[in-house]
Amino acid sequence: MSTSELICQYKDHILQQWLTTVREQISGAEELETLALQDDIPDLLDDLAAGLDESSPATVTHESIDHGRMRAKFETYTLSQMIREYRLLLHVVLSFADERIQITPKARNKIIRGITLAMEQAAEAFLQIRQEEDGNAKRAAEALVEELRREGQFRDDFIGTLTHDLRNPLANTFSLVELLRNRMPEDPIFEKIVNAMQQSLNQADILIRNLLDANLIKSGGELPIHRKHSNLMQEVRDSVESFSSEYEAGLVFDSDLPALLGEFDCQALRRALDNLINNAIKYGNQDKVITVKCEPIEGNKIQLSVHNHGNPIPADQQGKIFSRYYRMEEKQANRGWGMGLTLVKGIAEAHGGSVEVVSTPTEGTTFFIRIPSEAH
């Protein structure tokens, strides 16, 4: 008996075993009626069987958007609970088959990929509905990350795969926007629309890169950097200038040095500095300037610092905000400092350096990056 035939013949048994397992292991699932709980899972099993049929050219395809939307409508249901449904389905299908037949590696991979793709579609639809309900995409994304954080290694694999696969369509969209820019009529409205599209793509690209790098750091890896002899001072000036129009009170670059030479990965340090300036703009006092410094310090090191006059970070939380996805509990920080500070720390440590934050009610908040000026 083939894997396809087994799923067709024992579909009802597999479904019943999955329903029982879900009700036992997922809080709130036991309160749902059978039709609502199983939703489109029977169709997913049919599609798996069709994709596994070697006499048919079909691949394992399934549309799970409606399942994600339906789960998002259940107020007590979380994204992690829905993802766990798919994990349990994968376990039930493979265990049921392993007990009865010898599954080929090809068939096993098709089952894993088919259920994983269905899960990703459902998760995206789930998140979209919750974003619409909340009216705040960033808060919903943080809720997603927080939910996935509790999912352990499976969560990390899920995020890593999803964000990596997003890079290709994102790159294609960059190309299409550039093509549109070259062919659009000379009209200020068209130019404004295309510029807005470009900015949104840039933000999405930054978020994906940060997420991939944060995952690498979380897994114990070190960010790859490429040092070369550079003038770090110019990179800092460019970073400050790029943010100058976004902050009415003004950004001050406090340095008289014409250059600061050493072996740096300027692109990586620029990402770190951009994150710190962006945080200073979000959480600083909008009526007071933000000060950025770049200076040599003892020990043949370079120090970058960003200072703002916003509300202080509580002392008991200052050592935690560089941890991945840590969110302060204070009301003014309900958006959280995000994964950016994890990236800042990772970039500093990849250079053989360190990060620090000093924050008081009287002096404001200053973030420091300290790195050696030469590679060791």
Side-chain angles (χ1 to χ4, degrees):
M1 178 184 297
S2 68
T3 308
S4 174
E5 292 170 338
L6 180 137
I7 293 177
C8 288
Q9 182 174 341
Y10 292 99
K11 171 185 169 183
D12 292 340
H13 295 79
I14 294 172
L15 181 61
Q16 186 57 51
Q17 185 174 337
W18 175 78
L19 288 169
T20 300
T21 305
V22 167
R23 286 192 168 110
E24 290 175 351
Q25 297 191 23
I26 299 181
S27 176
E30 71 278 2
E31 300 175 3
L32 300 178
E33 296 182 0
T34 299
L35 288 178
L37 181 58
Q38 72 179 26
D39 197 26
D40 75 334
I41 298 301
D43 295 334
L44 174 55
L45 292 173
D46 289 338
D47 291 338
L48 281 174
L52 290 166
D53 186 355
E54 295 184 358
S55 65
S56 170
T59 58
V60 180
T61 58
H62 182 76
E63 188 75 40
S64 293
I65 294 176
D66 288 340
H67 186 83
R69 290 173 176 170
M70 178 66 71
R71 288 298 188 259
K73 296 297 183 182
F74 298 151
E75 293 184 0
T76 59
Y77 238 72
T78 67
L79 179 60
S80 63
Q81 287 172 304
M82 189 189 70
I83 290 175
R84 184 156 177 76
E85 287 182 355
Y86 284 99
R87 292 178 62 188
L88 291 174
L89 178 64
L90 179 60
H91 175 74
V92 168
V93 171
L94 292 179
S95 297
F96 196 91
D98 283 334
E99 292 173 359
R100 290 162 177 82
I101 63 173
Q102 182 71 35
I103 307 178
T104 66
K106 182 178 179 180
R108 185 180 297 273
N109 288 338
K110 280 189 174 183
I111 293 172
I112 293 173
R113 179 166 178 78
I115 294 178
T116 299
L117 288 175
M119 177 190 66
E120 291 174 356
Q121 283 187 345
E124 184 177 353
F126 184 102
L127 178 58
Q128 181 180 3
I129 293 299
R130 288 293 170 91
Q131 287 174 340
E132 291 172 357
E133 292 173 350
D134 295 344
N136 188 325
K138 183 177 180 182
R139 184 178 299 173
E142 289 174 351
L144 165 64
V145 173
E146 180 62 19
E147 291 291 342
L148 292 175
R149 186 185 65 81
R150 298 189 180 99
E151 288 299 313
Q153 187 60 47
F154 180 82
R155 171 226 45 219
D156 289 334
D157 293 341
F158 173 70
I159 292 181
T161 301
L162 182 60
T163 51
H164 184 272
D165 289 347
L166 283 173
R167 299 306 299 274
N168 286 336
L170 190 64
N172 292 337
T173 309
F174 270 115
S175 299
L176 292 173
V177 169
E178 189 61 30
L179 180 63
L180 182 61
R181 185 187 302 278
N182 293 334
R183 297 190 178 185
M184 70 180 183
E186 294 184 1
D187 186 316
I189 295 179
F190 278 99
E191 183 177 359
K192 184 177 181 180
I193 292 173
V194 173
N195 287 341
M197 293 170 61
Q198 182 76 54
Q199 183 178 6
S200 296
L201 284 172
N202 289 338
Q203 291 174 344
D205 185 51
I206 291 172
L207 285 173
I208 290 173
R209 290 169 59 196
N210 287 353
L211 188 53
L212 285 170
D213 287 343
N215 248 17
L216 177 62
I217 296 169
K218 174 63 169 57
S219 65
E222 184 175 282
L223 292 179
I225 62 170
H226 307 283
R227 289 177 177 263
K228 64 179 181 179
H229 193 69
S230 312
N231 178 11
L232 183 59
M233 193 67 70
Q234 185 60 50
E235 199 69 39
V236 176
R237 287 195 182 97
D238 290 344
S239 177
V240 173
E241 183 177 350
S242 69
F243 284 96
S244 59
S245 62
E246 299 183 20
Y247 192 67
E248 294 183 1
L251 272 71
V252 174
F253 182 35
D254 184 8
S255 179
D256 296 328
L257 294 176
L260 197 52
L261 302 178
E263 294 182 0
F264 312 109
D265 184 332
C266 285
Q267 185 178 10
L269 290 172
R270 171 69 180 270
R271 290 176 66 194
L273 185 59
D274 284 353
N275 267 293
L276 293 182
I277 295 177
N278 187 54
N279 276 341
I281 291 174
K282 285 194 296 185
Y283 304 114
N285 186 326
Q286 301 299 307
D287 297 324
K288 295 186 177 182
V289 299
I290 292 171
T291 303
V292 180
K293 292 183 179 181
C294 180
E295 56 193 346
I297 57 175
E298 62 181 6
N300 197 28
K301 292 184 177 181
I302 302 299
Q303 177 173 278
L304 292 169
S305 65
V306 179
H307 173 266
N308 73 75
H309 292 275
N311 292 322
I313 302 171
D316 62 344
Q317 297 184 40
Q318 291 178 21
K320 303 175 183 178
I321 59 175
F322 294 101
S323 300
R324 187 182 179 209
Y325 309 128
Y326 179 77
R327 292 180 59 184
M328 294 193 304
E329 299 176 356
E330 305 304 314
K331 184 177 181 180
Q332 72 270 15
N334 57 8
R335 290 174 294 174
W337 287 88
M339 70 189 74
L341 291 181
T342 300
L343 180 64
V344 171
K345 180 181 179 182
I347 290 173
E349 291 179 347
H351 278 81
S354 61
V355 293
E356 182 187 5
V357 61
V358 176
S359 187
T360 67
T362 56
E363 300 298 327
T365 299
T366 305
F367 284 89
F368 298 93
I369 300 176
R370 301 183 181 99
I371 59 173
S373 59
E374 304 291 337
H376 297 296

